[in-house]
C-alpha cells in the first residue's frame, strides 16, 4: 500500500498558479489599472496640450503629491480600522495656528511650525484616545472634531485680527531655517543643468531669460515620496505593520494575541494628524497666508484615494502604494481635464466613474485573496 | 509532584450581574495534562482567560511559579511562556497564515539597526509547523479566510505549541478537526507534556479527555466539583459529572450509548 502523505511541494489539490496571476492578484491592482487607464486617456486626448511637458508634469505631480500626503495617513488609519473625518479641518487649523503664532504673535516661523506639529499631533492623539476609551465609532468622534477644529479656525483669527485670512507669512519666513523644508524647492542645480543642456525648455525672454522653466522639485513632492516610502515599509516590513493589520482586522483577536491595539490606533490617529499638518505647512508656505476655509472636504478626497487604492473600508486590508496610486489618479484627472480643456465639472463625473470601477475591481480581487464572502 | 507552575486560588469573575466564576481553585503542574470539563456556560473559557491575562479576576489570587502574578494584558502572559488557543481562535481572516502565526510575536531582523519583520523566517517556521500538524498550505501568504474551519484551528494550535514555552492552554481545540488532525493534536499534547510543559485542555469529548488527561477538573455553573486523578474515575462517572446531572443516563439509554 502506498498512502503517501502529499508533500508540500506537490499537493494534488493545489493548482499551479501562473506567476502572472500571482503578480496581478494584489490589493493595488485596481489602482494600477486606474492609473494606466487615466494616463492612456490623457495621452490620447491631451498629449499636445503641454500636460506632459516639464511644467505640466510639475503641475499635476504637485497636486497628486498633495493628495498623497493626506492619503498615506488616512490609509494606515483605515487599515487600523478607523476613520478620520477631521483631516480637512485639521489642515485649516494647522495653517491658522502657524499664521497666528508666527505672524500675529511674532514667534520665529520654525518655532510656530514646531508648536503646531506638536499641538496637532496631540489633538489627533486625543481623538484617538476618545475613540479607543469610549468604544464610539471613529466616524462620530472625528465628525465632532471636524466641527470643533473648523470652528476654532474661523473664530480665532476673527477674535485676534478681525479677519479670516492671515497673510505675511512669506515675510516672516524669510531666512528661517525650517520653513524651506516645507516651502522650498530642491534639485535646482539639476534643472539648470538640464536647461543648459537643452533637455528642457528655458525661458526665452523676460527677467528669467535662460533659466529653466522648471526650477526645482517642490518640497511638497519630496514629503509625499518620503511619507509613501515610510508608510509602505512600516506597513509591510515591520512588526508594527503587522499590528496595524491585526488591529483593523479584528481588534479582539489581536488583543488576545498580545497586540497593543489601543496604542496602535492612537498612534495612527496621531500619524494622520501629522500628515495633515505637513500638508498645511507646505500650503501655508506656498501661499504665504492661512485661510479659515483651507482644507475643506480634504478628508473625503483622502478616503477616496485610499479606497481606489484597494483598502477595505472596514479595516484590516489595504496598501500604501495603492493609496498613492489613488492620489495620482486624483491629481492627474483633476489637472488633466484642465489641460484637455474640458469643463471642470466633468472632473467629478470622471472621478466618480473611476472610483466605482476601481472599487468593483478591488472588491473582486480582495475576495480572491482573502476568501471573504 | 514538583511545585505547581500555576496556582489559581478562589478565582471569582463577575460580568456585571453575571457571576461567571464563583471561587474556583485549581493547581496546574508542569508536565501534566489538566483537563477542564463542564457543560456549556460552566465558565471554562472565562477561567482560562483569567489565566492568560485576557480577564482580570474580580477576586482571588493567581500564583505563577510561586510568585503572585498580575498579568495586565495577554502580552504579559505570553512573555511568561503561557500560550493559549482561544475557543474563538483569535485569528484574523484577512491576514496571511504566517502573519497570523506570529501576530504579537513577530520575529525581527535588524538591518542597519532598524528592526524589520523577518518574513523569511516567519514563512519557513509557519510552513514547517503546519506540516508537522498534517496540513499542507498553498503558501505561507495564503489568507486565513481561505482556510477551512479545521485548518484554521490547526494554525491556532500550531502557533500556541510553538510559543507555549511553559504552559499551553487549549480551549476546545478539536471541535472542528478531522480524525487525522484530532489524533495529531492529541499526540502533540502528549509530546509537549513529556517535555515538561503544563497543558490545560478544555473539551466536551470524554474520550479525548481520557486519552491524554492526567487530572480532570469539572466546572459547573461557575464552581468546581473538585479535581480527580486519572484512574480514580471511570469514564461513566466523568461523563455524569460533565453533564452535571442524571438525565443523561436516560438519554444515553435511548441513544444506545453513543453520547
Ligand atoms: N464578556 C462577558 N460578558 C458577560 N458575560 C459573560 C462574558 N463572558 C462570559 N460570560 C458569561 O459567563 C458564563 C460562562 O461563560 P464561558 O464562556 O466561560 O462558558 P464555557 O464553559 O466556556 O462554555 P462553552 O462550553 O459553551 O464554551 C456564561 O453564562 C456567559 O454568558
Ligand atoms: Mg468556552
Amino acid at each position: 500500500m502506498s498512502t503517501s502523505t502529499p508533500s508540500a511541494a506537490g499537493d494534488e489539490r493545489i493548482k499551479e498558479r501562473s506567476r502572472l496571476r500571482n503578480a496581478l492578484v494584489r490589493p493595488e491592482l485596481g489602482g494600477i489599472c486606474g492609473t494606466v487607464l487615466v494616463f492612456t486617456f490623457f495621452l490620447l486626448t491631451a498629449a499636445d496640450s503641454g500636460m506632459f511637458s516639464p511644467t505640466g508634469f510639475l503641475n499635476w505631480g504637485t497636486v497628486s503629491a498633495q493628495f498623497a500626503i493626506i492619503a498615506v495617513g488616512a490609509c494606515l488609519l483605515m487599515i487600523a480600522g478607523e476613520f478620520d473625518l477631521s483631516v480637512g479641518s485639521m489642515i485649516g487649523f494647522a495653517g491658522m495656528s502657524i499664521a497666528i503664532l508666527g505672524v500675529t504673535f511674532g514667534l520665529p516661523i520654525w518655532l510656530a511650525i514646531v508648536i503646531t506639529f506638536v499641538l496637532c499631533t496631540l489633538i489627533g492623539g486625543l481623538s484617538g484616545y476618545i475613540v479607543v476609551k469610549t468604544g464610539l465609532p471613529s466616524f462620530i468622534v472625528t465628525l465632532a472634531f471636524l466641527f470643533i477644529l473648523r470652528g476654532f479656525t474661523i473664530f480665532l483669527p476673527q477674535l485676534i485680527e478681525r479677519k479670516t485670512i492671515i497673510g505675511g507669512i512669506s515675510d516672516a519666513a524669510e531666512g528661517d531655517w525650517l520653513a524651506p523644508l516645507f516651502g522650498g524647492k530642491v534639485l535646482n542645480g539639476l534643472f539648470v543643468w538640464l536647461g543648459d543642456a537643452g533637455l528642457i525648455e528655458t525661458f526665452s525672454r523676460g527677467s528669467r531669460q535662460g533659466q529653466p522653466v522648471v526650477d526645482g522639485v517642490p518640497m511638497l513632492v519630496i514629503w509625499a515620496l518620503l511619507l509613501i516610502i515610510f508608510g509602505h515599509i512600516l506597513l509591510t516590513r515591520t512588526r508594527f505593520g503587522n499590528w496595524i493589520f491585526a488591529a483593523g482586522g479584528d481588534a479582539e483577536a489581536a488583543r488576545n494575541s498580545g497586540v497593543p491595539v489601543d496604542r496602535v490606533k492612537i498612534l495612527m490617529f496621531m500619524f494622520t494628524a501629522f500628515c495633515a499638518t505637513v500638508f498645511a505647512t507646505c500650503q501655508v508656505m506656498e501661499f504665504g497666508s492661512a485661510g479659515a476655509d483651507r482644507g475643506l472636504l480634504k478628508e473625503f478626497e483622502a478616503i477616496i484615494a485610499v479606497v481606489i487604492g484597494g483598502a477595505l473600508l472596514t479595516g484590516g486590508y489595504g496598501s500604501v502604494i495603492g493609496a498613492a496610486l489613488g492620489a495620482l489618479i486624483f491629481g492627474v484627472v483633476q489637472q488633466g481635464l484642465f489641460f484637455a480643456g474640458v469643463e471642470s465639472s466633468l472632473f467629478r463625473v470622471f472621478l466618480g466613474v473611476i472610483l466605482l470601477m476601481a472599487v468593483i475591481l478591488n472588491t473582486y480581487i480582495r475576495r480572491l485573496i482573502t476568501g471573504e464572502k | 509532584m514538583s511545585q505547581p507552575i500555576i496556582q489559581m486560588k478562589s478565582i471569582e469573575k463577575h460580568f456585571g450581574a453575571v457571576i461567571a466564576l464563583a471561587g474556583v481553585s485549581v493547581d496546574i503542574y508542569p508536565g501534566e495534562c489538566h483537563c477542564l470539563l463542564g457543560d456549556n456556560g460552566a465558565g471554562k473559557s472565562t477561567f482560562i482567560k483569567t489565566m492568560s491575562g485576557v480577564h482580570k479576576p474580580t477576586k482571588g489570587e493567581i500564583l505563577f511559579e510561586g510568585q503572585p502574578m498580575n498579568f495586565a494584558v495577554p502580552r504579559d502572559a505570553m512573555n511568561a511562556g503561557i500560550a493559549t488557543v482561544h475557543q474563538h481562535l483569535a485569528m484574523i481572516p484577512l491576514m496571511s497564515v504566517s502573519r497570523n502565526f506570529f501576530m504579537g510575536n513577530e520575529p525581527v531582523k535588524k538591518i542597519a539597526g532598524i528592526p524589520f519583520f523577518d518574513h523569511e523566517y516567519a514563512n519557513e517556521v509557519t510552513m514547517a509547523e503546519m506540516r508537522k500538524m498534517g496540513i499542507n498550505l498553498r503558501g505561507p501568504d495564503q489568507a486565513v479566510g481561505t482556510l477551512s474551519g479545521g485548518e484554521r484551528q490547526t494554525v491556532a494550535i500550531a502557533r500556541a505549541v510553538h510559543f507555549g514555552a511553559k504552559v499551553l492552554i487549549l480551549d476546545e481545540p478539536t471541535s472542528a478537526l478531522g480524525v487525522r488532525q484530532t489524533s495529531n493534536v492529541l499526540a502533540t499534547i502528549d509530546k509537549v507534556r513529556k517535555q515538561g510543559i503544563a497543558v490545560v485542555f478544555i473539551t466536551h469529548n470524554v474520550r479525548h479527555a481520557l486519552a491524554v488527561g492526567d487530572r480532570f477538573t469539572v466546572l459547573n455553573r461557575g464552581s468546581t466539583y473538585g479535581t480527580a486523578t486519572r484512574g480514580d474515575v471511570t469514564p461513566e462517572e466523568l461523563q455524569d459529572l460533565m453533564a452535571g446531572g442524571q438525565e443523561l443516563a436516560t438519554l444515553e439509554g435511548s441513544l444506545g450509548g453513543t453520547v
Side-chain angles (χ1 to χ4, degrees), chain B residues 39-46 48-49 87-88 171-172 202 204:
Chain B
D39 219 353
N40 291 130
K44 306 180 295 296
S45 298
T46 310
I48 60 109
K49 279 180 182 166
Q87 191 168 9
H88 299 295
D171 193 348
E172 301 191 30
I202 299 180
H204 286 291

Side-chain angles (χ1 to χ4, degrees), chain A residues 23 35 38-39 51 68 149 168 176 198 212 245 270 308 324 330 360 372:
Chain A
T35 309
V38 163
F39 273 98
M51 184 178 170
L149 290 174
D176 191 85
F245 280 121
M270 295 173 79
I308 290 180
F330 228 113
I360 289 171
E372 190 193 348

